Amino acid sequence: MSTPEDTPNRVVDLKLRAGNVAANGERLGELLKLVRGIALKRVNGLVSTLFENVDDALFHLAERAESNAMQVQFFDGMREVRKKRQLVERLFQEQLSQIFNDFAAGRLKPVRSEVAASNTQGLSLVDDLELEDSLAISSMVAKAENRLNRTLHLVNQRLSVISGGTPVEDANNPIGPAPLCQAFRIAVREFELELQVKLIIYKLYDRYVMSGLEPLYDEVNAELIRAGVLPQFRHQLPAGVRNRGPAAAPGAAARGGNGPVEQQATGAAGYSDEPYDSVTAEIQAEIYSTLRNLLANRRQSSDFAGESGSAPSQGGVGAPNLSPTDLLSALSILQSQSIQAQAQAQAQADSVADAASAVRQIKQELLDQAHRLGGAATSEHHVSSADEDTIDLVGMLFEFILQDRNLPAPIQALIGRLQIPYLKIAILDKHLFAQKAHPARRLLDAMAEAGKSWSAESDVDSKLKDKIKQVVETILNDFDDDLSVIEHELAGFEQFVHQNKRRAELAEQRAAEVTRGREKLHTARRNAAKEILGRIGDRQLPPVIHNVLSRPWANYLVLTDLRHGNESAEWKNALQFADEFIWSSFPKQSDADKARLRALLPKLEKSLKHGLSTVAFHEGDVRALMQELTDFYQRLLNGEELELKSAQEVIAENAASDSAAGAEPGANPAESTIVNQSPVEEIVLTSGNVEPEPLESLQEEDDHVVAARNMKVGNWVEFIEADGNRERAKLSWISPITSKYLFVNRRGLKVCDKSVAALAVELRRGSAVLLEEVPLFDRALDAIVERLRQAHPAGEKSPEKAG
């Protein structure tokens, strides 16, 4: 490119004739290449910075995840991003290059309308994933365009010049927020991510890429000015562009909130205390925006139906609205009136009333009470659209609570009493639904999470149930309009949960250690039995040899395995003794064999005495056994005929003898670390199977098997016994030996242990039910969104188009 000194007249005239445009085409093409080079270098650098921070952000979120399921999602997302980062970066670069090629050829279509299509065509026309994806992108684009309106407008005008006079706007600017977001959206489709993780990456893209566009635009403007493209056109923004307000995400007006999504997410109270909390906060705000849009669609449909003869919604057109003060006063009266009635109902039984009826009743009572307070002056007043949405949202929230399978009925009934206070909170503070860190929302989630673990068996002293009841009654009696009451109860409840959690964790550790010890002992016993029976086989041996191997020496093998492992020198020496001991019992015909036996006997005696002392064999029994062996070997060397029997015969005779003598089979009174029967006797007297039991599996890989195998430590299950008794238990530990699951109750006490196959069978027949790990409020919002979408099915015409 020529330098300023080489080019005497470098100002590009906007009114160039077609011929002049063609003559200057080569130089304009060079300027576009300049812009392209600057953009690719800066944007690719910003994207690289983004991915360098994704790992840390997901790791921090995983550490603070409210459930094991969410933690797994974040860790899976980290692995997926690491695996495919280079591919996605390359695809993003290819998308940017294609955008510039299309722009140079005049083929670049406005992108903004494509990004926000789901918002303009109706929320019901797209599925959940596409809707959330579109909301995230359109919100990002809207904020960036409004924040960068001045510098972006200057870039648009100068790009219009170097493209031959073709109008350039935000949506078809190759370095505008909309094309850049669309390019990233296409590239990240290569990631196989859960929606939550994908939305977090979008928010990080907004933070690291969108926020870094202003230096890019400044550099592009500076270079084009240096090249003579509109050098005097610096601050001449049209009034409509200059006066654009702060960024507002799509649907902000419908929300009836006090500001844009970003403002809704942080809130005046500033509940967020970590930098990366703003990511999830903005996602919550987007969900709230979706809810308000869906409610607006429903209200619009309801009003349209009212024109055809149905009852219209409360928000009548042209009618004055009841003020929030009127609603709060009416709610306070209803709250005081309902305390005694609800307490009586609670004292009689922990029952859950008809949820839908209760919701409608409270809403109607609220309106009647508000009109009575205002007298004739307010008899024709209606509830505003925003307040009606709030009333409906709170109603649907508590309807979900009263139907939530995660909560036992007594806990449902207790928490359900909070509907009126939470309606007051929602009217006072719109952030209840938009902000995950809101204290009232955290309190509801905390009570639901603790209540999920409740059962009559695990709460025999009613401490948990009484604590939830105390929190509910304090709010009902003390809460008027001061959120400090909620914050105080939240702090107290969290302290209560923390204290009980610590005690439960200690009990869990003990339960896991006991189970781990039993499994190690069981495995060691099976290993010992397998080795002894493998060496004896069907051989006919003298009873004294059988007795030594199947009783004290089998127990010595068990202890050796537990203390040193079955790869240790001690274990190998113990097996070598068994081999030599068996060989020593065979008849010796040659002088060489007899000489070898005489040389071996001192070594066998030494090893046997060591083994017997290890298993605490009584000294008198040791002397008696040694004398018996001495007599046996003397007879063997003399060539006398000896009695031979199989292991099964000897063990059966010993069991019968012990039983007749009133002793437990195989009892060793001097031994406390080994169960009564020796491992060999246990195998022989039961099934005779010496192989470890394989992990049970079902023939078909159905959903129940997959669900059982995918369980993580911390997941909760409700077990339903044949008599209808219910016990809630948490997966506390997974055995690395047998893969069995250890379940404990909320106190950390063992409930049961089950194999994957056994759990899958119970899930299939309904005697076990997996409880959800997602916090109550989040699950409620998802259920409400789905309910509203079903009420406005895909393809249904909106009221304004119905005619």
Side-chain angles (χ1 to χ4, degrees), residues 50 150 237 367 416 475 552 568 573 597 714 719-720:
L50 155 71
R150 179 177 298 276
L237 288 177
L367 298 175
I475 293 174
S568 63
N573 291 336
L597 176 59
F719 293 106
I720 307 169

Side-chain angles (χ1 to χ4, degrees), residues 161-471:
V161 171
I162 66 174
S163 63
T166 303
V168 175
E169 299 178 349
D170 295 352
N172 66 342
N173 182 333
I175 55 175
L180 292 178
C181 285
Q182 184 71 352
F184 188 72
R185 184 185 193 184
I186 293 172
V188 297
R189 287 173 182 167
E190 290 296 323
F191 288 140
E192 296 178 9
L193 300 171
E194 296 290 340
L195 176 62
Q196 180 83 351
V197 178
K198 190 175 183 181
L199 292 178
I200 288 168
I201 291 177
Y202 279 156
K203 295 304 178 184
L204 293 173
Y205 181 81
D206 188 18
R207 179 179 300 175
Y208 290 104
V209 179
M210 290 292 101
S211 63
L213 291 183
E214 188 164 14
L216 164 63
Y217 296 161
D218 288 342
E219 182 177 356
V220 168
N221 277 321
E223 288 297 327
L224 292 180
I225 289 172
R226 189 175 295 113
V229 181
L230 302 181
Q232 304 303 320
F233 190 72
R234 297 178 183 271
H235 305 292
Q236 302 173 9
L237 288 177
V241 177
R242 189 196 314 265
N243 296 327
R244 276 193 256 178
R255 279 197 307 273
N258 298 323
V261 168
E262 188 174 26
Q263 195 175 0
Q264 294 263 357
T266 54
Y271 303 117
S272 177
D273 59 357
E274 293 289 344
Y276 51 82
D277 282 348
S278 62
V279 175
T280 51
E282 291 183 25
I283 293 173
Q284 290 297 313
E286 296 292 354
I287 294 174
Y288 183 55
S289 172
T290 303
L291 277 172
R292 297 301 298 268
N293 280 317
L294 289 169
L295 285 167
N297 285 349
R298 187 185 71 159
R299 185 170 56 252
Q300 196 173 26
S301 299
S302 175
D303 291 342
F304 177 76
E307 295 173 7
S308 303
S310 301
S313 65
Q314 290 292 334
V317 177
N321 290 329
L322 289 167
S323 69
T325 302
D326 294 332
L327 292 176
L328 291 172
S329 299
L331 283 169
S332 295
I333 294 174
L334 290 180
Q335 183 174 330
S336 62
Q337 291 176 347
S338 66
I339 290 175
Q340 184 177 0
Q342 289 181 344
Q344 291 174 351
Q346 180 67 23
Q348 293 172 0
D350 291 320
S351 60
V352 179
D354 182 352
S357 174
V359 169
R360 287 193 297 268
Q361 182 179 355
I362 287 179
K363 182 176 180 179
Q364 189 58 50
E365 287 179 356
L366 168 62
L367 298 175
D368 293 343
Q369 186 63 49
H371 290 149
R372 283 196 295 271
L373 284 174
T378 62
S379 59
E380 298 300 324
H381 285 46
H382 296 287
V383 178
S384 69
S385 297
D387 287 335
E388 184 179 6
D389 286 348
T390 300
I391 294 170
D392 288 342
L393 273 177
V394 174
M396 285 185 280
L397 167 66
F398 278 84
E399 184 175 349
F400 176 85
I401 291 172
L402 294 171
Q403 297 172 346
D404 184 20
R405 179 57 189 267
N406 257 35
L407 293 176
I411 305 301
Q412 286 179 335
L414 282 171
I415 297 178
R417 297 172 61 191
L418 291 174
Q419 182 176 347
I420 293 177
Y422 268 73
L423 182 50
K424 292 174 70 175
I425 293 169
I427 291 175
L428 283 166
D429 186 356
K430 303 299 183 183
H431 299 103
L432 175 64
F433 286 94
Q435 193 167 56
K436 198 166 187 174
H438 194 287
R441 179 166 175 173
R442 288 168 54 201
L443 177 59
L444 202 62
D445 281 341
M447 289 193 294
E449 181 62 25
K452 178 174 68 175
S453 66
W454 183 90
S455 66
E457 290 76 8
S458 66
D459 195 32
V460 290
D461 54 4
S462 295
K463 283 188 177 179
L464 174 59
K465 185 178 175 183
D466 288 347
K467 180 61 178 178
I468 295 176
K469 183 177 180 181
Q470 175 260 310
V471 171

